[in-house]
Every structure is written in structure tokens, then in C-alpha cells.
Short mmCIF file of all heavy atoms in Angstrom, two decimals:
data_model
loop_
_atom_site.label_atom_id
_atom_site.label_comp_id
_atom_site.label_asym_id
_atom_site.label_seq_id
_atom_site.Cartn_x
_atom_site.Cartn_y
_atom_site.Cartn_z
N MET A 26 -10.20 6.23 -20.55
CA MET A 26 -10.55 7.50 -20.08
C MET A 26 -9.63 7.87 -18.78
O MET A 26 -9.59 7.13 -17.98
CB MET A 26 -12.01 7.47 -19.60
CG MET A 26 -12.59 8.82 -19.18
SD MET A 26 -14.21 8.61 -18.50
CE MET A 26 -15.12 7.59 -19.70
N ASN A 27 -8.98 9.01 -18.85
CA ASN A 27 -8.21 9.47 -17.73
C ASN A 27 -9.06 10.14 -16.73
O ASN A 27 -9.26 11.32 -16.68
CB ASN A 27 -7.13 10.42 -18.31
CG ASN A 27 -6.02 9.76 -19.05
OD1 ASN A 27 -5.77 8.66 -18.71
ND2 ASN A 27 -5.41 10.44 -20.02
N ASN A 28 -9.49 9.33 -15.75
CA ASN A 28 -10.42 9.91 -14.81
C ASN A 28 -9.95 9.79 -13.44
O ASN A 28 -10.65 9.90 -12.42
CB ASN A 28 -11.85 9.32 -14.93
CG ASN A 28 -11.79 7.67 -14.75
OD1 ASN A 28 -10.79 7.18 -14.81
ND2 ASN A 28 -12.96 7.21 -14.61
N PHE A 29 -8.61 9.51 -13.28
CA PHE A 29 -7.99 9.61 -11.95
C PHE A 29 -6.95 10.78 -11.96
O PHE A 29 -6.31 10.93 -12.94
CB PHE A 29 -7.25 8.31 -11.61
CG PHE A 29 -8.18 7.12 -11.49
CD1 PHE A 29 -8.61 6.30 -12.48
CD2 PHE A 29 -8.73 6.84 -10.21
CE1 PHE A 29 -9.54 5.24 -12.33
CE2 PHE A 29 -9.59 5.76 -9.97
CZ PHE A 29 -10.04 5.00 -11.09
N ALA A 30 -6.87 11.54 -10.87
CA ALA A 30 -6.02 12.70 -10.87
C ALA A 30 -5.30 12.92 -9.54
O ALA A 30 -5.81 12.51 -8.57
CB ALA A 30 -6.82 13.97 -11.17
N ILE A 31 -4.07 13.34 -9.68
CA ILE A 31 -3.34 13.88 -8.41
C ILE A 31 -2.63 15.05 -8.77
O ILE A 31 -2.39 15.36 -10.02
CB ILE A 31 -2.31 12.75 -7.90
CG1 ILE A 31 -1.28 12.42 -9.03
CG2 ILE A 31 -2.94 11.47 -7.41
CD1 ILE A 31 -0.08 11.66 -8.54
N VAL A 32 -2.24 15.86 -7.69
CA VAL A 32 -1.37 16.97 -7.89
C VAL A 32 0.03 16.52 -7.43
O VAL A 32 0.24 16.05 -6.25
CB VAL A 32 -1.94 18.13 -7.13
CG1 VAL A 32 -0.94 19.36 -7.13
CG2 VAL A 32 -3.24 18.56 -7.52
N ASP A 33 1.02 16.88 -8.29
CA ASP A 33 2.38 16.71 -7.72
C ASP A 33 2.63 17.99 -6.92
O ASP A 33 3.01 19.05 -7.43
CB ASP A 33 3.34 16.62 -8.96
CG ASP A 33 4.86 16.69 -8.53
OD1 ASP A 33 5.06 16.71 -7.39
OD2 ASP A 33 5.63 16.86 -9.45
N GLN A 34 2.53 17.83 -5.68
CA GLN A 34 2.53 18.97 -4.80
C GLN A 34 3.89 19.72 -4.63
O GLN A 34 4.03 20.85 -4.30
CB GLN A 34 1.94 18.57 -3.43
CG GLN A 34 0.42 18.24 -3.53
CD GLN A 34 -0.21 17.83 -2.25
OE1 GLN A 34 0.37 17.11 -1.53
NE2 GLN A 34 -1.48 18.22 -2.11
N ASP A 35 4.94 18.94 -4.97
CA ASP A 35 6.28 19.59 -5.02
C ASP A 35 6.46 20.59 -6.05
O ASP A 35 7.25 21.63 -5.92
CB ASP A 35 7.35 18.57 -5.16
CG ASP A 35 7.52 17.62 -3.92
OD1 ASP A 35 7.02 18.09 -2.79
OD2 ASP A 35 8.00 16.45 -4.11
N SER A 36 5.53 20.52 -7.11
CA SER A 36 5.74 21.39 -8.21
C SER A 36 4.49 22.46 -8.21
O SER A 36 4.55 23.44 -9.03
CB SER A 36 5.60 20.65 -9.60
OG SER A 36 6.61 19.67 -9.58
N CYS A 37 3.57 22.33 -7.32
CA CYS A 37 2.54 23.29 -7.21
C CYS A 37 2.98 24.63 -6.63
O CYS A 37 3.70 24.65 -5.70
CB CYS A 37 1.39 22.68 -6.32
SG CYS A 37 0.01 23.82 -5.98
N ILE A 38 2.60 25.66 -7.43
CA ILE A 38 2.99 27.04 -6.88
C ILE A 38 1.90 27.81 -6.23
O ILE A 38 1.90 29.05 -6.03
CB ILE A 38 3.63 27.86 -8.11
CG1 ILE A 38 2.54 28.11 -9.23
CG2 ILE A 38 4.80 27.28 -8.55
CD1 ILE A 38 2.94 29.03 -10.30
N ALA A 39 0.84 27.09 -5.94
CA ALA A 39 -0.28 27.71 -5.08
C ALA A 39 -0.98 28.82 -5.78
O ALA A 39 -1.27 29.82 -5.16
CB ALA A 39 0.28 28.17 -3.76
N CYS A 40 -1.17 28.67 -7.14
CA CYS A 40 -1.87 29.76 -7.85
C CYS A 40 -3.35 29.75 -7.81
O CYS A 40 -3.96 30.80 -8.06
CB CYS A 40 -1.34 29.79 -9.32
SG CYS A 40 -2.21 28.42 -10.34
N GLY A 41 -3.92 28.65 -7.48
CA GLY A 41 -5.38 28.63 -7.31
C GLY A 41 -6.15 28.38 -8.51
O GLY A 41 -7.33 28.24 -8.49
N ALA A 42 -5.48 28.27 -9.67
CA ALA A 42 -6.19 28.12 -10.96
C ALA A 42 -7.11 26.85 -10.99
O ALA A 42 -8.23 26.83 -11.49
CB ALA A 42 -5.34 28.18 -12.18
N CYS A 43 -6.62 25.70 -10.57
CA CYS A 43 -7.29 24.48 -10.60
C CYS A 43 -8.52 24.59 -9.70
O CYS A 43 -9.56 24.04 -10.14
CB CYS A 43 -6.39 23.27 -10.19
SG CYS A 43 -5.73 23.59 -8.53
N ASN A 44 -8.44 25.23 -8.62
CA ASN A 44 -9.62 25.35 -7.70
C ASN A 44 -10.68 26.21 -8.38
O ASN A 44 -11.93 25.95 -8.26
CB ASN A 44 -9.22 25.90 -6.46
CG ASN A 44 -10.41 26.18 -5.47
OD1 ASN A 44 -10.74 27.33 -5.21
ND2 ASN A 44 -11.06 25.09 -5.12
N SER A 45 -10.22 27.24 -9.13
CA SER A 45 -11.19 28.13 -9.83
C SER A 45 -11.88 27.32 -11.01
O SER A 45 -13.07 27.63 -11.22
CB SER A 45 -10.40 29.29 -10.46
OG SER A 45 -9.91 30.08 -9.44
N GLU A 46 -11.14 26.51 -11.66
CA GLU A 46 -11.72 25.76 -12.78
C GLU A 46 -12.64 24.55 -12.38
O GLU A 46 -13.60 24.27 -12.96
CB GLU A 46 -10.50 25.19 -13.69
CG GLU A 46 -9.75 26.22 -14.45
CD GLU A 46 -10.53 26.86 -15.57
OE1 GLU A 46 -11.65 26.40 -15.88
OE2 GLU A 46 -9.98 27.88 -16.05
N ALA A 47 -12.21 23.92 -11.27
CA ALA A 47 -12.83 22.71 -10.84
C ALA A 47 -12.88 22.56 -9.40
O ALA A 47 -12.15 21.74 -8.75
CB ALA A 47 -12.06 21.37 -11.46
N PRO A 48 -13.74 23.41 -8.76
CA PRO A 48 -13.82 23.47 -7.29
C PRO A 48 -14.25 22.19 -6.52
O PRO A 48 -13.92 21.90 -5.46
CB PRO A 48 -14.72 24.67 -6.97
CG PRO A 48 -15.53 24.80 -8.19
CD PRO A 48 -14.66 24.37 -9.33
N GLU A 49 -14.88 21.28 -7.33
CA GLU A 49 -15.21 20.07 -6.67
C GLU A 49 -14.27 18.98 -6.65
O GLU A 49 -14.34 18.10 -6.01
CB GLU A 49 -16.49 19.43 -7.52
CG GLU A 49 -17.79 20.19 -7.34
CD GLU A 49 -18.91 19.55 -8.05
OE1 GLU A 49 -19.27 18.38 -7.76
OE2 GLU A 49 -19.53 20.11 -8.99
N ILE A 50 -13.16 19.31 -7.50
CA ILE A 50 -12.09 18.33 -7.60
C ILE A 50 -10.95 18.85 -6.84
O ILE A 50 -10.16 18.00 -6.16
CB ILE A 50 -11.75 18.08 -8.97
CG1 ILE A 50 -12.98 17.61 -9.89
CG2 ILE A 50 -10.52 17.07 -9.19
CD1 ILE A 50 -12.71 17.56 -11.31
N PHE A 51 -10.50 20.12 -6.89
CA PHE A 51 -9.28 20.58 -6.26
C PHE A 51 -9.60 21.56 -5.16
O PHE A 51 -10.49 22.50 -5.33
CB PHE A 51 -8.39 21.36 -7.25
CG PHE A 51 -8.00 20.46 -8.40
CD1 PHE A 51 -8.72 20.34 -9.66
CD2 PHE A 51 -6.97 19.52 -8.34
CE1 PHE A 51 -8.37 19.58 -10.75
CE2 PHE A 51 -6.67 18.67 -9.37
CZ PHE A 51 -7.31 18.68 -10.51
N ASP A 52 -8.86 21.59 -4.09
CA ASP A 52 -8.84 22.57 -3.10
C ASP A 52 -7.42 22.77 -2.58
O ASP A 52 -6.52 21.97 -2.86
CB ASP A 52 -9.81 22.13 -1.94
CG ASP A 52 -10.27 23.46 -1.18
OD1 ASP A 52 -9.87 24.54 -1.52
OD2 ASP A 52 -11.13 23.23 -0.19
N MET A 53 -7.26 23.87 -1.83
CA MET A 53 -5.87 24.28 -1.33
C MET A 53 -5.74 23.92 0.10
O MET A 53 -6.82 24.10 0.88
CB MET A 53 -5.56 25.67 -1.62
CG MET A 53 -6.43 26.41 -2.71
SD MET A 53 -6.27 25.74 -4.31
CE MET A 53 -4.64 26.40 -4.67
N ASP A 54 -4.53 23.55 0.48
CA ASP A 54 -4.30 23.46 1.99
C ASP A 54 -3.94 24.77 2.63
O ASP A 54 -4.08 25.81 1.93
CB ASP A 54 -3.19 22.46 2.26
CG ASP A 54 -1.92 22.82 1.78
OD1 ASP A 54 -1.68 24.01 1.51
OD2 ASP A 54 -0.97 21.84 1.73
N ASP A 55 -3.60 24.89 3.83
CA ASP A 55 -3.40 26.06 4.56
C ASP A 55 -2.23 26.93 3.88
O ASP A 55 -2.12 28.11 4.11
CB ASP A 55 -3.00 25.79 6.09
CG ASP A 55 -4.24 25.36 6.76
OD1 ASP A 55 -5.40 25.52 6.31
OD2 ASP A 55 -4.04 24.87 7.88
N ASN A 56 -1.37 26.20 3.17
CA ASN A 56 -0.23 26.94 2.57
C ASN A 56 -0.60 27.18 1.08
O ASN A 56 0.36 27.76 0.29
CB ASN A 56 0.99 26.08 2.58
CG ASN A 56 1.51 25.86 3.96
OD1 ASN A 56 1.54 26.76 4.76
ND2 ASN A 56 1.84 24.57 4.23
N GLY A 57 -1.81 26.95 0.67
CA GLY A 57 -2.22 27.21 -0.79
C GLY A 57 -1.84 26.10 -1.72
O GLY A 57 -2.09 26.37 -2.89
N ILE A 58 -1.22 25.07 -1.22
CA ILE A 58 -0.91 24.03 -2.14
C ILE A 58 -2.13 23.14 -2.44
O ILE A 58 -2.92 22.75 -1.63
CB ILE A 58 0.12 23.10 -1.44
CG1 ILE A 58 1.43 23.98 -1.23
CG2 ILE A 58 0.48 21.94 -2.46
CD1 ILE A 58 2.13 24.58 -2.36
N ALA A 59 -2.33 22.89 -3.79
CA ALA A 59 -3.61 22.27 -4.19
C ALA A 59 -3.47 20.67 -4.08
O ALA A 59 -2.35 20.13 -3.99
CB ALA A 59 -3.82 22.51 -5.73
N GLY A 60 -4.65 20.12 -3.84
CA GLY A 60 -4.71 18.59 -3.80
C GLY A 60 -6.07 18.08 -4.34
O GLY A 60 -7.08 19.05 -4.39
N VAL A 61 -6.21 17.00 -4.75
CA VAL A 61 -7.45 16.51 -5.12
C VAL A 61 -8.28 16.09 -3.82
O VAL A 61 -7.91 15.34 -3.04
CB VAL A 61 -7.34 15.16 -5.95
CG1 VAL A 61 -8.63 14.49 -6.28
CG2 VAL A 61 -6.68 15.51 -7.29
N ILE A 62 -9.45 16.75 -3.84
CA ILE A 62 -10.24 16.53 -2.59
C ILE A 62 -11.56 15.88 -2.98
O ILE A 62 -12.45 15.62 -2.06
CB ILE A 62 -10.68 18.00 -1.92
CG1 ILE A 62 -11.16 19.00 -2.96
CG2 ILE A 62 -9.44 18.51 -1.25
CD1 ILE A 62 -12.65 18.99 -3.17
N TYR A 63 -11.74 15.46 -4.25
CA TYR A 63 -12.93 14.88 -4.71
C TYR A 63 -13.30 13.62 -4.00
O TYR A 63 -12.49 12.66 -3.84
CB TYR A 63 -12.77 14.55 -6.22
CG TYR A 63 -14.09 13.90 -6.79
CD1 TYR A 63 -15.13 14.80 -7.04
CD2 TYR A 63 -14.07 12.63 -7.14
CE1 TYR A 63 -16.36 14.19 -7.68
CE2 TYR A 63 -15.25 12.04 -7.77
CZ TYR A 63 -16.35 12.93 -7.99
OH TYR A 63 -17.46 12.31 -8.53
N GLU A 64 -14.57 13.64 -3.34
CA GLU A 64 -15.03 12.57 -2.55
C GLU A 64 -13.96 11.95 -1.53
O GLU A 64 -13.87 10.73 -1.39
CB GLU A 64 -15.55 11.39 -3.47
CG GLU A 64 -16.81 11.84 -4.18
CD GLU A 64 -17.57 10.81 -4.87
OE1 GLU A 64 -16.96 9.63 -5.01
OE2 GLU A 64 -18.71 11.00 -5.32
N GLY A 65 -13.31 12.87 -0.94
CA GLY A 65 -12.37 12.49 0.14
C GLY A 65 -11.14 11.81 -0.38
O GLY A 65 -10.40 11.11 0.39
N ASP A 66 -10.76 11.95 -1.60
CA ASP A 66 -9.62 11.40 -2.14
C ASP A 66 -8.27 11.64 -1.52
O ASP A 66 -7.27 10.82 -1.49
CB ASP A 66 -9.45 11.72 -3.72
CG ASP A 66 -8.42 10.90 -4.38
OD1 ASP A 66 -8.60 9.72 -4.61
OD2 ASP A 66 -7.27 11.50 -4.62
N SER A 67 -8.13 12.89 -0.89
CA SER A 67 -6.96 13.34 -0.16
C SER A 67 -5.66 13.18 -1.05
O SER A 67 -4.60 12.81 -0.50
CB SER A 67 -6.75 12.50 1.10
OG SER A 67 -7.87 12.62 1.93
N ASN A 68 -5.88 13.62 -2.37
CA ASN A 68 -4.72 13.61 -3.26
C ASN A 68 -4.09 12.23 -3.36
O ASN A 68 -2.83 12.21 -3.52
CB ASN A 68 -3.73 14.74 -2.91
CG ASN A 68 -2.94 15.25 -4.13
OD1 ASN A 68 -3.49 15.43 -5.23
ND2 ASN A 68 -1.64 15.24 -4.04
N ARG A 69 -4.83 11.23 -3.31
CA ARG A 69 -4.19 9.82 -3.47
C ARG A 69 -4.37 9.42 -4.90
O ARG A 69 -3.69 8.42 -5.35
CB ARG A 69 -4.81 8.80 -2.50
CG ARG A 69 -4.54 9.13 -1.05
CD ARG A 69 -5.32 8.17 -0.18
NE ARG A 69 -6.76 8.35 -0.33
CZ ARG A 69 -7.75 7.41 -0.13
NH1 ARG A 69 -7.40 6.22 0.22
NH2 ARG A 69 -8.97 7.73 -0.30
N GLY A 70 -5.32 10.02 -5.55
CA GLY A 70 -5.47 9.57 -7.01
C GLY A 70 -6.12 8.27 -7.18
O GLY A 70 -5.93 7.56 -8.11
N VAL A 71 -7.07 7.98 -6.16
CA VAL A 71 -7.68 6.60 -6.24
C VAL A 71 -9.24 6.65 -6.57
O VAL A 71 -9.75 5.64 -6.61
CB VAL A 71 -7.39 5.80 -4.98
CG1 VAL A 71 -5.81 5.63 -4.86
CG2 VAL A 71 -7.97 6.42 -3.75
N THR A 72 -9.69 7.90 -6.49
CA THR A 72 -11.18 8.10 -6.70
C THR A 72 -11.51 8.46 -8.08
O THR A 72 -11.01 9.48 -8.58
CB THR A 72 -11.67 9.17 -5.64
OG1 THR A 72 -11.13 8.84 -4.35
CG2 THR A 72 -13.14 9.29 -5.74
N PRO A 73 -12.27 7.62 -8.82
CA PRO A 73 -12.57 8.07 -10.19
C PRO A 73 -13.42 9.28 -10.26
O PRO A 73 -14.40 9.38 -9.52
CB PRO A 73 -13.35 6.84 -10.78
CG PRO A 73 -13.84 6.04 -9.53
CD PRO A 73 -12.84 6.34 -8.42
N ILE A 74 -13.08 10.24 -11.07
CA ILE A 74 -13.75 11.49 -11.22
C ILE A 74 -14.97 11.25 -12.14
O ILE A 74 -14.89 10.56 -13.07
CB ILE A 74 -12.89 12.54 -11.87
CG1 ILE A 74 -11.57 12.64 -11.15
CG2 ILE A 74 -13.69 13.92 -11.94
CD1 ILE A 74 -11.63 13.27 -9.69
N ALA A 75 -16.09 11.76 -11.67
CA ALA A 75 -17.36 11.53 -12.41
C ALA A 75 -17.29 12.11 -13.82
O ALA A 75 -16.62 13.09 -14.07
CB ALA A 75 -18.56 12.16 -11.66
N GLU A 76 -17.97 11.42 -14.71
CA GLU A 76 -17.85 11.80 -16.14
C GLU A 76 -18.26 13.27 -16.44
O GLU A 76 -17.66 13.94 -17.24
CB GLU A 76 -18.67 10.92 -16.98
CG GLU A 76 -18.34 10.90 -18.40
CD GLU A 76 -18.94 9.68 -19.15
OE1 GLU A 76 -19.30 8.68 -18.54
OE2 GLU A 76 -19.11 9.88 -20.41
N ASP A 77 -19.20 13.71 -15.68
CA ASP A 77 -19.71 15.14 -15.95
C ASP A 77 -18.71 16.14 -15.41
O ASP A 77 -18.97 17.36 -15.55
CB ASP A 77 -21.15 15.34 -15.30
CG ASP A 77 -21.17 15.12 -13.84
OD1 ASP A 77 -20.24 14.71 -13.26
OD2 ASP A 77 -22.30 15.44 -13.30
N LEU A 78 -17.68 15.69 -14.74
CA LEU A 78 -16.72 16.76 -14.22
C LEU A 78 -15.44 16.67 -15.09
O LEU A 78 -14.45 17.42 -14.80
CB LEU A 78 -16.32 16.47 -12.77
CG LEU A 78 -17.43 16.79 -11.81
CD1 LEU A 78 -17.00 16.29 -10.37
CD2 LEU A 78 -17.87 18.16 -11.76
N LEU A 79 -15.32 15.78 -16.01
CA LEU A 79 -14.06 15.54 -16.71
C LEU A 79 -13.71 16.77 -17.59
O LEU A 79 -12.43 17.01 -17.86
CB LEU A 79 -14.11 14.25 -17.60
CG LEU A 79 -14.18 12.97 -16.73
CD1 LEU A 79 -14.20 11.75 -17.74
CD2 LEU A 79 -13.05 12.84 -15.81
N GLU A 80 -14.76 17.51 -18.06
CA GLU A 80 -14.35 18.64 -18.91
C GLU A 80 -13.68 19.70 -17.96
O GLU A 80 -12.69 20.32 -18.40
CB GLU A 80 -15.56 19.27 -19.50
CG GLU A 80 -15.40 20.16 -20.67
CD GLU A 80 -16.65 20.48 -21.43
OE1 GLU A 80 -17.47 19.47 -21.66
OE2 GLU A 80 -16.87 21.59 -21.82
N GLU A 81 -14.16 19.94 -16.79
CA GLU A 81 -13.63 20.87 -15.85
C GLU A 81 -12.20 20.40 -15.45
O GLU A 81 -11.25 21.14 -15.39
CB GLU A 81 -14.38 20.95 -14.48
CG GLU A 81 -15.70 21.47 -14.61
CD GLU A 81 -16.32 21.63 -13.28
OE1 GLU A 81 -15.68 21.56 -12.19
OE2 GLU A 81 -17.51 21.81 -13.14
N LEU A 82 -12.08 19.04 -15.32
CA LEU A 82 -10.75 18.48 -14.98
C LEU A 82 -9.68 18.87 -16.09
O LEU A 82 -8.55 19.22 -15.78
CB LEU A 82 -10.88 16.98 -14.82
CG LEU A 82 -9.62 16.20 -14.56
CD1 LEU A 82 -8.92 16.72 -13.29
CD2 LEU A 82 -9.85 14.75 -14.43
N GLN A 83 -10.19 18.65 -17.27
CA GLN A 83 -9.27 18.93 -18.42
C GLN A 83 -8.87 20.39 -18.51
O GLN A 83 -7.72 20.77 -18.73
CB GLN A 83 -9.96 18.42 -19.74
CG GLN A 83 -9.03 18.48 -20.92
CD GLN A 83 -7.87 17.45 -20.63
OE1 GLN A 83 -7.98 16.41 -20.22
NE2 GLN A 83 -6.61 17.94 -20.97
N GLU A 84 -9.92 21.27 -18.19
CA GLU A 84 -9.64 22.72 -18.17
C GLU A 84 -8.55 23.01 -17.07
O GLU A 84 -7.65 23.83 -17.23
CB GLU A 84 -10.91 23.45 -17.87
CG GLU A 84 -11.84 23.50 -18.95
CD GLU A 84 -11.42 24.33 -20.26
OE1 GLU A 84 -10.77 25.45 -19.94
OE2 GLU A 84 -11.58 23.83 -21.30
N ALA A 85 -8.75 22.33 -15.92
CA ALA A 85 -7.78 22.58 -14.85
C ALA A 85 -6.34 22.22 -15.25
O ALA A 85 -5.36 22.92 -14.98
CB ALA A 85 -8.16 21.89 -13.61
N VAL A 86 -6.30 21.01 -15.87
CA VAL A 86 -5.01 20.53 -16.33
C VAL A 86 -4.42 21.54 -17.34
O VAL A 86 -3.11 21.83 -17.20
CB VAL A 86 -5.12 19.15 -16.93
CG1 VAL A 86 -3.90 18.78 -17.64
CG2 VAL A 86 -5.45 18.02 -15.89
N GLU A 87 -5.14 21.92 -18.25
CA GLU A 87 -4.52 22.82 -19.20
C GLU A 87 -4.14 24.23 -18.74
O GLU A 87 -3.41 24.90 -19.20
CB GLU A 87 -5.57 23.03 -20.43
CG GLU A 87 -5.76 21.73 -21.18
CD GLU A 87 -6.78 21.79 -22.21
OE1 GLU A 87 -7.44 22.92 -22.39
OE2 GLU A 87 -7.17 20.78 -22.76
N ASN A 88 -4.76 24.70 -17.57
CA ASN A 88 -4.54 25.95 -17.00
C ASN A 88 -3.53 25.91 -15.98
O ASN A 88 -3.17 27.00 -15.36
CB ASN A 88 -5.85 26.59 -16.57
CG ASN A 88 -6.68 27.07 -17.74
OD1 ASN A 88 -6.25 28.06 -18.44
ND2 ASN A 88 -7.76 26.49 -17.98
N CYS A 89 -3.08 24.84 -15.53
CA CYS A 89 -2.12 24.72 -14.41
C CYS A 89 -0.75 25.14 -14.96
O CYS A 89 -0.19 24.55 -15.95
CB CYS A 89 -1.88 23.27 -13.96
SG CYS A 89 -0.59 23.08 -12.81
N PRO A 90 -0.16 26.26 -14.39
CA PRO A 90 1.11 26.81 -15.05
C PRO A 90 2.29 25.97 -14.94
O PRO A 90 3.28 26.14 -15.65
CB PRO A 90 1.29 28.16 -14.22
CG PRO A 90 0.41 28.00 -13.04
CD PRO A 90 -0.66 27.02 -13.32
N THR A 91 2.33 25.01 -13.94
CA THR A 91 3.57 24.17 -13.83
C THR A 91 3.22 22.75 -14.32
O THR A 91 4.16 21.84 -14.06
CB THR A 91 3.98 24.14 -12.31
OG1 THR A 91 2.93 23.59 -11.58
CG2 THR A 91 4.29 25.53 -11.86
N ASN A 92 2.13 22.50 -14.85
CA ASN A 92 1.78 21.08 -15.44
C ASN A 92 1.86 20.08 -14.26
O ASN A 92 2.45 18.99 -14.61
CB ASN A 92 2.67 20.78 -16.53
CG ASN A 92 2.34 21.66 -17.78
OD1 ASN A 92 1.21 22.04 -18.11
ND2 ASN A 92 3.43 22.14 -18.38
N CYS A 93 1.51 20.48 -13.03
CA CYS A 93 1.68 19.44 -12.02
C CYS A 93 0.47 18.62 -11.66
O CYS A 93 0.48 17.88 -10.77
CB CYS A 93 2.18 20.20 -10.81
SG CYS A 93 1.09 21.33 -10.15
N ILE A 94 -0.63 18.75 -12.44
CA ILE A 94 -1.79 17.89 -12.31
C ILE A 94 -1.58 16.77 -13.22
O ILE A 94 -1.39 16.88 -14.42
CB ILE A 94 -3.06 18.58 -12.69
CG1 ILE A 94 -3.35 19.92 -11.75
CG2 ILE A 94 -4.34 17.65 -12.51
CD1 ILE A 94 -4.45 20.72 -12.12
N GLN A 95 -1.58 15.47 -12.66
CA GLN A 95 -1.40 14.32 -13.45
C GLN A 95 -2.61 13.55 -13.58
O GLN A 95 -3.35 13.36 -12.51
CB GLN A 95 -0.26 13.46 -12.75
CG GLN A 95 1.07 14.31 -12.64
CD GLN A 95 2.12 13.42 -11.90
OE1 GLN A 95 1.92 12.33 -11.48
NE2 GLN A 95 3.25 14.13 -11.69
N LEU A 96 -2.94 12.96 -14.72
CA LEU A 96 -4.05 12.15 -15.01
C LEU A 96 -3.71 10.74 -15.33
O LEU A 96 -2.55 10.45 -15.82
CB LEU A 96 -4.85 12.67 -16.13
CG LEU A 96 -5.41 14.12 -15.98
CD1 LEU A 96 -6.28 14.51 -17.18
CD2 LEU A 96 -6.17 14.38 -14.71
N SER A 97 -4.57 9.85 -15.09
CA SER A 97 -4.29 8.39 -15.36
C SER A 97 -5.63 7.68 -15.61
O SER A 97 -6.77 8.14 -15.09
CB SER A 97 -3.56 7.73 -14.23
OG SER A 97 -3.48 6.35 -14.58
N ALA A 98 -5.61 6.63 -16.38
CA ALA A 98 -6.81 5.79 -16.60
C ALA A 98 -6.97 4.81 -15.54
O ALA A 98 -7.97 4.12 -15.44
CB ALA A 98 -6.75 5.18 -17.97
N THR A 99 -5.97 4.62 -14.70
CA THR A 99 -6.04 3.65 -13.57
C THR A 99 -5.68 4.41 -12.27
O THR A 99 -5.01 5.41 -12.28
CB THR A 99 -5.03 2.57 -13.70
OG1 THR A 99 -3.71 3.05 -14.02
CG2 THR A 99 -5.46 1.73 -15.04
N PRO A 100 -6.01 3.86 -11.15
CA PRO A 100 -5.72 4.52 -9.79
C PRO A 100 -4.19 4.72 -9.69
O PRO A 100 -3.49 3.78 -10.11
CB PRO A 100 -6.38 3.60 -8.80
CG PRO A 100 -7.32 2.82 -9.58
CD PRO A 100 -6.90 2.68 -10.95
N PHE A 101 -3.80 5.75 -8.93
CA PHE A 101 -2.37 5.99 -8.83
C PHE A 101 -1.78 5.08 -7.70
O PHE A 101 -0.68 4.77 -7.76
CB PHE A 101 -2.10 7.44 -8.43
CG PHE A 101 -2.13 8.35 -9.62
CD1 PHE A 101 -3.37 8.93 -10.16
CD2 PHE A 101 -0.93 8.64 -10.34
CE1 PHE A 101 -3.34 9.65 -11.23
CE2 PHE A 101 -0.97 9.44 -11.48
CZ PHE A 101 -2.24 9.98 -11.96
N ALA A 102 -2.59 4.83 -6.76
CA ALA A 102 -2.09 3.98 -5.57
C ALA A 102 -3.22 3.19 -5.04
O ALA A 102 -4.37 3.65 -5.28
CB ALA A 102 -1.47 4.87 -4.57
N SER A 103 -3.01 2.26 -4.23
CA SER A 103 -4.03 1.48 -3.62
C SER A 103 -4.21 1.93 -2.22
O SER A 103 -3.32 2.64 -1.65
CB SER A 103 -3.82 0.02 -3.67
OG SER A 103 -2.54 -0.28 -3.07
S1 SF4 B 238 -3.15 25.17 -11.01
FE1 SF4 B 238 -1.42 23.87 -10.71
S2 SF4 B 238 0.09 25.21 -9.71
FE2 SF4 B 238 -1.89 26.16 -9.46
S3 SF4 B 238 -2.70 25.58 -7.57
FE3 SF4 B 238 -3.44 24.13 -8.99
S4 SF4 B 238 -1.96 22.49 -9.04
FE4 SF4 B 238 -0.98 24.16 -8.17
#
């Protein structure tokens, strides 16, 4: 199950779609660049996303215009 997520912030165009789809998982910084904020993850990709949010997560991935949301079955970093 791909329940770890990060945003490749170099590719984010600050469109806000991920935050609209999954506000508990994604938020934008002062420049509008998105990151994973779920349970204080700070876009590290180390916090497993709860199962009941995975559908929203998938919607966000599919609606990101630059495909910069990355998913993994294991944590991205320690
Ligand atoms: S949907 Fe993609 S491009 Fe848009 S703000 Fe979110 S991560 Fe950035």
C-alpha cells in the first residue's frame, strides 16, 4: 500500500489542487508551494497516511498537473 507521500517541491507550480482534494494531507507555504503537512510530516514522507485518507490522496496525485506528488509503500527518509 502506497501510504507515504512527498511533494517534489522543485516541480510544484503552486496551483493548490492537492490542498483542495486532500486538505488534511497537503498545505501550501507562503509562496504557495505544497508540502505534506499530515501529522507534522513537514514533507519528509515518513508519516504513514491513514487508510481513510488514501482515496483523497489518490485524487490529489491524479489531479496534480505536474505529477510532482510521489507515493511509496515505505518511508522516503528516516
Ligand atoms: S497539485 Fe501539484 S503542482 Fe499543484 S500545488 Fe499540489 S503539488 Fe503543487
Side-chain angles (χ1 to χ4, degrees):
M26 185 191 309
N27 286 330
N28 58 345
F29 293 90
I31 59 168
V32 174
D33 172 7
Q34 294 179 318
D35 290 338
S36 300
C37 175
I38 59 168
C40 73
C43 55
N44 176 250
S45 296
E46 294 289 350
E49 290 182 62
I50 303 173
F51 300 100
D52 202 1
M53 338 296 286
D54 67 14
D55 290 344
N56 296 317
I58 301 300
V61 174
I62 50 90
Y63 183 71
E64 290 192 349
D66 187 74
S67 299
N68 205 48
R69 291 173 299 151
V71 298
T72 309
I74 308 293
E76 199 167 337
D77 63 351
L78 291 175
L79 293 182
E80 200 167 319
E81 295 184 18
L82 176 60
Q83 194 59 42
E84 289 292 319
V86 168
E87 289 173 11
N88 284 294
C89 174
T91 61
N92 295 317
C93 63
I94 302 171
Q95 300 174 2
L96 302 183
S97 173
T99 55
F101 281 87
S103 57

